Amino acid sequence: MKILLLGALVLLMGTTSFAQNKFTVSGTVKSASKGETIIGATVSAGANHVTRTNEYGFYSLTLPEGTYPLVISSVSFTAYSDSLNLRKNTVVNIDLLDAEQTLEEVVISSTASNRRSLGSPQMGMEKISPQDIKNVPVLLGEKDAIKVLQLLPGIKSAGEGNSGMYVRGGAADQNLILLDEATVYNASHLLGFFSTFNSDAVKDIAVYKAGMPAQYGGRLSSVLDIKMNDGNNQDFNVSGGVGLISAKLNVEGPIQKGKSSFLVSGRRTYADMFLKLSNDSSINTNQLYFYDFNAKMNYQLGEKDRLYISGYLGNDHLGVGDLFGLDWGNTTGTLRWNHIFNNKLFSNTSLIYSNYKYKIGINSGADIFDIFSNIRDYNLKQEFQWYLNNKNSLRFGLNSTYHTIRPGEVTSPDSSSVNDKLMQKRYSLDNAVFATNTWKASDKFSLTYGLRLSAFSILGEGDFYNIDGEGKVLDTVHYKSGEVVKTYLNLEPRLAASYQFNNSSSVKASYVRNTQNLHLIANSTSSTPTDKWVASTNIIKPEISDQFSLGYYKDLRDGLYELNVETYYKTMQNQIDYRDGADVYNGNNAIESELLFGKGRAYGVEWLLRKRTGRLSGWISYTLSKTERQINGINNGDWYNARQDRTHDIAIVAMYQLNKKWTLSANWVYYTGDAVTFPAGKYIIDDQTTYYYTERNGYRMPNYHRLDLGATMQLKQRKRWSSELTFSLYNAYGRENAYTIEFQDSKDDPNKTVANQLAIFKFIPSVSYNFKFK
């Protein structure tokens, strides 16, 4: 704690100023209809005194004594305005009224004012609204936050229909995904075609591609911070929907009106029920479904204290009769306490649990066995937000996570021909302290600077290895339970600055260093639930990235359009790839023997033109980028394309409110084919064809493009009841995009090789019915 306070004081040196006759107005901003706190509401006391509410709706402004026009506003709410006579420290708690969603008001709102975020040093951050998630057409009509994020610049889909994402050249495992502060290690359902996040339970979604604040750490490329709804503490609401493959239900309401509330939300697919309708026993005994369940309660303990309890449970099951079964899923839980010490100091204390696991069952003749793996976290997080004055706001705290990883164990009955095999559990303690100060130096210039100190300790019990350059184990060292094997200390500085030219344009720059000590190991061409998480060891070192970013931001036509242009350059140390012919699933405890290590680089330019209001809204995004690796032992030590490298990535998203009844939507995507390794030749041994490979990721999949269409029809509305029908058509012009390409000998001439392309989605129509009553 002494180190933490010392770091906070160092950050403040030279920036903190004090003046007489200054007072503070503070409070909490909530929704009048639901009682939920509002994240990121704008609070202004004149043009030069502006702040935003934090993640829990709290704000604080320190001003000279005087009278000010107090205005509090947020998207989808009617702005509050009043005169503030500031003669002493004052608490102003505000409940904002919902804006009426009539067509005429939507058109009028097209004269929106310019972005408040133009002057903020934060760059590379995107938010998506529940309305965007609702209207953008996606696969099988399932509203999906991650699929919508993939339509933004710098965020690339990991493949056809896949919920994985690559951000600014990073791999799929280099994204920190948080649900109410709990880490989600696998954010996909049905082998990646859907994400784990039920949009009906989601309150706020923010993704950071650059300039990550110091409270976030542990991943190189991005942070996806998702917060669940708190639950309505004013009235009971029930909503739900039925689609082609899934049904969902959401219930929320007050426990004690105005003081506490609950939220329960569930979703399940029923593709397995259709399989049972078949008369074919090879089909009707199969299973393919997922379910997820979100729950949350919050209690207002007093004027200064609030308690939140939230959790998530999700699971997938894929079964082929009695022969094969695959189960995987996430469980998270968060206990959070908010406390307001005074009008300038806000505290958040969290106890967090996260568990990801998978289990494979095989029952084939004498081969009967199960494979089990999981990663489990216990996490304590303490944060403070200190609103020092009208120029400085400080955020500081600490984070401690205990990881337990079971990389894989095989168990079998006595009758099986397969023997039990237990791979070693790995234990580690991940500690960090951090501090960030945002300094508004002048009306035009703002600066955010911070530091994160991470200490990752590898713990026993277990065997650790020394390996030579060929991957052979030289010797083994055993450590006792709780014994420290090695500790990696890393300083992670953060710096961001903005200069606002006028009320419609600004320029920003940032630098951030991130480290990562948990790594996903897989040598397949796409992510699967059975990919292995491993922690840093004495051989696997922490991955480190340094990213420099520069951006220009412009509001056009009085804020009707937003133009963002950002460029970045990122270097990466200790990147992991696989030896030629590596097998990471062989049950080898010394997995390091299959790996090689080197460096990477990623750079690019991103454009985003967005229209948020009016009958027609949407955006156009374009990313031009390059991602490469250089690792001794691969590609003769030369630079080669990373798996996630794509030169061009384009998305066009449009939503049009035709009238009060109909909303139309469409999106079109195009991107360069993924970098892949194809065979360069073949040879025959004992009448068996064997392919040989030369350059790693030296080829490309065919370029990808697709058009999706959607429409929402509002059905008859009543005072306490509303419903709608949603139609969508995925891949409207039937493009047969390549999912995989396999090589085999020609049946007519075995000396020739043919490439067979598999496309899994062509025209995919869907319809769903959604309802809400209270």
Side-chain angles (χ1 to χ4, degrees):
M1 181 62 72
K2 290 181 179 179
I3 295 175
L4 181 62
L5 293 174
L6 179 60
L9 291 174
V10 170
L11 285 169
L12 291 173
M13 289 178 62
T15 64
T16 306
S17 60
F18 299 91
Q20 294 180 346
N21 299 325
K22 285 191 174 183
F23 300 104
T24 299
V25 56
S26 63
T28 301
V29 180
K30 297 188 293 184
S31 162
S33 62
K34 294 184 177 182
E36 292 219 17
T37 56
I38 299 175
I39 300 171
T42 300
V43 181
S44 66
N48 297 325
H49 307 295
V50 181
T51 190
R52 289 179 178 270
T53 57
N54 67 7
E55 301 94 312
Y56 313 102
F58 179 78
Y59 74 92
S60 176
L61 266 177
T62 299
L63 308 167
E65 181 180 0
T67 301
Y68 298 90
L70 181 64
V71 179
I72 302 176
S73 61
S74 183
V75 176
S76 301
F77 293 92
T78 301
Y80 165 89
S81 61
D82 199 1
S83 177
L84 173 65
N85 187 16
L86 196 61
R87 297 290 182 267
K88 62 180 181 178
N89 292 336
T90 304
V91 175
V92 180
N93 296 319
I94 296 298
D95 294 343
L96 293 183
L97 299 173
D98 292 350
E100 294 294 328
Q101 297 300 310
T102 63
L103 179 61
E104 291 76 15
E105 286 176 334
V106 171
V107 175
I108 292 170
S109 69
S110 65
T111 59
S113 60
N114 295 65
R115 283 179 281 174
R116 292 288 187 183
S117 61
L118 283 174
S120 168
Q122 181 64 58
M123 63 180 303
M125 191 269 279
E126 300 285 354
K127 280 182 174 281
I128 56 172
S129 68
Q131 195 67 24
D132 290 336
I133 300 173
K134 174 183 175 181
N135 288 330
V136 173
V138 293
L139 179 63
L140 291 169
E142 280 292 305
K143 295 185 288 185
D144 197 312
I146 290 184
K147 297 292 181 62
V148 178
L149 285 172
Q150 291 172 354
L151 300 172
L152 295 170
I155 304 174
K156 305 176 182 181
S157 164
E160 172 80 273
N162 200 300
S163 60
M165 59 185 187
Y166 304 137
V167 179
R168 291 194 171 179
D173 68 318
Q174 293 176 353
N175 306 304
L176 177 63
I177 301 176
L178 301 173
L179 178 63
D180 270 3
E181 300 185 86
T183 301
V184 177
Y185 283 97
N186 188 324
S188 66
H189 283 308
L190 289 184
L191 301 176
F193 295 124
F194 304 99
S195 78
T196 58
F197 305 114
N198 183 349
S199 60
D200 289 345
V202 170
K203 173 181 180 178
D204 185 76
I205 301 174
V207 60
Y208 297 84
K209 303 178 292 183
M212 298 82 169
Q215 67 265 26
Y216 298 114
R219 298 295 187 275
L220 295 194
S221 294
S222 77
V223 178
L224 176 57
D225 194 353
I226 299 178
K227 299 207 166 37
M228 289 170 51
N229 284 322
D230 299 331
N232 192 325
N233 68 12
Q234 299 296 313
D235 200 359
F236 286 95
N237 286 277
V238 178
S239 60
V242 179
L244 290 182
I245 67 163
S246 71
K248 56 187 177 181
L249 186 67
N250 186 79
V251 181
E252 59 181 328
I255 300 173
Q256 181 181 4
K257 188 171 183 178
K259 296 290 186 179
S260 57
S261 63
F262 74 92
L263 166 77
V264 176
S265 186
R267 177 176 57 159
R268 191 193 192 277
T269 58
Y270 34 72
D272 56 316
M273 298 180 184
F274 293 114
L275 297 178
K276 295 182 185 299
L277 300 177
S278 173
N279 294 323
D280 188 340
S281 61
S282 65
I283 296 177
N284 60 28
T285 58
N286 297 336
Q287 291 183 304
L288 178 63
Y289 68 87
F290 73 79
Y291 66 85
D292 46 38
F293 178 80
N294 298 76
K296 191 169 186 177
M297 294 185 292
N298 74 90
Y299 302 87
Q300 187 78 38
L301 302 177
E303 292 185 1
K304 296 186 176 183
D305 296 279
R306 193 162 189 169
L307 188 69
Y308 300 83
I309 304 172
S310 62
Y312 168 83
L313 173 64
N315 199 75
D316 285 68
H317 183 72
L318 169 64
V320 181
D322 296 327
L323 300 176
F324 173 81
L326 171 60
D327 292 89
W328 74 94
N330 298 275
T331 303
T332 72
T334 305
L335 173 63
R336 187 168 64 241
W337 169 44
N338 289 170
H339 177 67
I340 302 173
F341 283 95
N342 54 49
N343 53 23
K344 291 188 177 183
L345 185 60
F346 181 92
S347 167
N348 178 60
T349 307
S350 300
L351 294 174
I352 307 162
Y353 171 80
S354 177
N355 185 52
Y356 170 69
K357 59 181 174 57
Y358 71 79
K359 181 180 180 181
I360 302 172
I362 304 292
N363 184 1
S364 178
D367 296 334
I368 306 172
F369 60 94
D370 292 329
I371 304 173
F372 179 80
S373 177
N374 86 313
I375 176 170
R376 184 177 64 234
D377 294 347
Y378 295 98
N379 184 0
L380 169 64
K381 189 175 183 180
Q382 174 62 58
E383 288 187 67
F384 297 95
Q385 295 179 52
W386 187 9
Y387 300 86
L388 290 143
N389 49 50
N390 62 341
K391 291 186 178 294
N392 291 276
S393 60
L394 177 67
R395 186 167 189 160
F396 60 100
L398 55 86
N399 198 154
S400 183
T401 305
Y402 182 73
H403 303 285
T404 302
I405 300 178
R406 298 168 71 176
E409 58 185 37
V410 178
T411 58
S412 60
D414 294 337
S415 59
S416 175
S417 63
V418 178
N419 296 323
D420 290 355
K421 184 165 187 177
L422 301 181
M423 294 185 69
Q424 298 179 98
K425 294 181 182 179
R426 293 300 194 192
Y427 307 94
S428 53
L429 186 61
D430 195 353
N431 294 315
V433 293
F434 56 86
T436 300
N437 185 55
T438 298
W439 174 37
K440 187 173 177 60
S442 69
D443 294 341
K444 294 182 177 294
F445 181 70
S446 295
L447 186 68
T448 294
Y449 50 97
L451 189 64
R452 183 181 181 90
L453 172 63
S454 62
F456 188 86
S457 297
I458 307 158
L459 306 176
E461 178 182 18
D463 294 330
F464 292 82
Y465 311 95
N466 289 315
I467 295 175
D468 66 13
E470 301 300 320
K472 296 179 181 179
V473 177
L474 298 176
D475 61 78
T476 302
V477 180
H478 181 78
Y479 289 84
K480 297 178 181 179
S481 177
E483 192 173 357
V484 177
V485 179
K486 188 178 180 65
T487 296
Y488 291 103
L489 284 172
N490 280 288
L491 282 173
E492 303 172 34
R494 316 289 170 93
L495 180 65
S498 67
Y499 184 83
Q500 188 166 352
F501 298 107
N502 47 49
N503 64 353
S504 65
S505 62
S506 66
V507 64
K508 303 181 185 182
S510 71
Y511 163 74
V512 61
R513 166 168 282 203
N514 284 309
T515 63
Q516 180 167 336
N517 282 285
L518 299 177
H519 323 276
L520 193 63
I521 304 299
N523 59 0
S524 62
T525 56
S526 61
S527 297
T528 69
T530 56
D531 293 343
K532 294 183 179 181
W533 284 96
V534 299
S536 295
T537 66
N538 56 315
I539 295 173
I540 303 175
K541 297 180 180 180
E543 300 175 66
I544 301 174
S545 73
D546 294 277
Q547 182 180 170
F548 302 86
S549 303
L550 181 67
Y552 175 73
Y553 310 85
K554 176 70 175 178
D555 282 349
L556 307 171
R557 294 187 60 185
D558 294 327
L560 182 59
Y561 297 93
E562 300 175 3
L563 174 64
N564 301 338
V565 182
E566 294 187 2
T567 183
Y568 64 91
Y569 185 87
K570 178 163 60 176
T571 61
M572 292 168 279
Q573 305 174 42
N574 305 324
Q575 296 301 281
I576 301 173
D577 213 325
Y578 313 98
R579 295 180 184 273
D580 292 334
D583 182 6
V584 299
Y585 303 105
N586 61 9
N588 182 5
N589 271 313
I591 196 171
E592 297 94 333
S593 64
E594 306 286 350
L595 307 177
L596 293 171
F597 310 95
K599 60 183 179 180
R601 63 189 179 195
Y603 47 92
V605 183
E606 303 165 1
W607 287 266
L608 176 65
L609 178 64
R610 174 157 43 195
K611 184 174 183 288
R612 291 187 181 273
T613 56
R615 285 190 176 185
L616 177 65
S617 61
W619 65 86
I620 300 173
S621 73
Y622 172 58
T623 304
L624 174 66
S625 62
K626 187 67 179 176
T627 307
E628 298 173 297
R629 299 284 186 267
Q630 186 182 49
I631 297 176
N632 289 334
I634 299 177
N635 203 36
N636 297 317
D638 296 330
W639 286 96
Y640 63 94
N641 295 325
R643 172 176 149 192
Q644 60 269 26
D645 176 63
R646 288 184 192 152
T647 308
H648 305 285
D649 201 301
I650 303 170
I652 302 174
V653 179
M655 291 160 280
Y656 184 70
Q657 190 166 355
L658 184 64
N659 50 44
K660 293 182 179 180
K661 188 173 184 179
W662 284 96
T663 301
L664 309 178
S665 59
N667 59 262
W668 181 78
V669 296
Y670 171 92
Y671 57 76
T672 303
D674 292 347
V676 293
T677 303
F678 286 149
K682 66 179 182 180
Y683 50 89
I684 309 296
I685 300 178
D686 296 331
D687 296 327
Q688 296 294 320
T689 299
T690 301
Y691 294 100
Y692 69 89
Y693 301 84
T694 54
E695 186 178 359
R696 182 76 61 95
N697 295 339
Y699 297 85
R700 292 277 178 187
M701 296 287 281
N703 293 340
Y704 181 100
H705 54 88
R706 185 190 78 242
L707 173 68
D708 304 330
L709 302 174
T712 299
M713 181 177 68
Q714 186 72 50
L715 302 177
K716 185 176 291 186
Q717 288 186 294
R718 297 178 176 87
K719 183 177 181 180
R720 301 185 67 86
W721 169 271
S722 64
S723 60
E724 63 184 23
L725 282 173
T726 300
F727 308 90
S728 69
L729 180 59
Y730 182 88
N731 197 10
Y733 52 73
R735 163 78 173 179
E736 294 188 359
N737 290 296
Y739 187 69
T740 61
I741 296 179
E742 295 183 350
F743 294 83
Q744 62 184 41
D745 294 338
S746 171
K747 294 181 180 179
D748 299 326
D749 183 358
N751 292 319
K752 292 183 179 180
T753 302
V754 294
N756 294 321
Q757 175 178 307
L758 171 65
I760 57 174
F761 296 122
K762 201 171 182 181
F763 306 101
I764 307 292
S766 67
V767 60
S768 59
Y769 171 76
N770 301 302
F771 64 88
K772 183 176 182 179
F773 67 87
K774 57 183 179 178

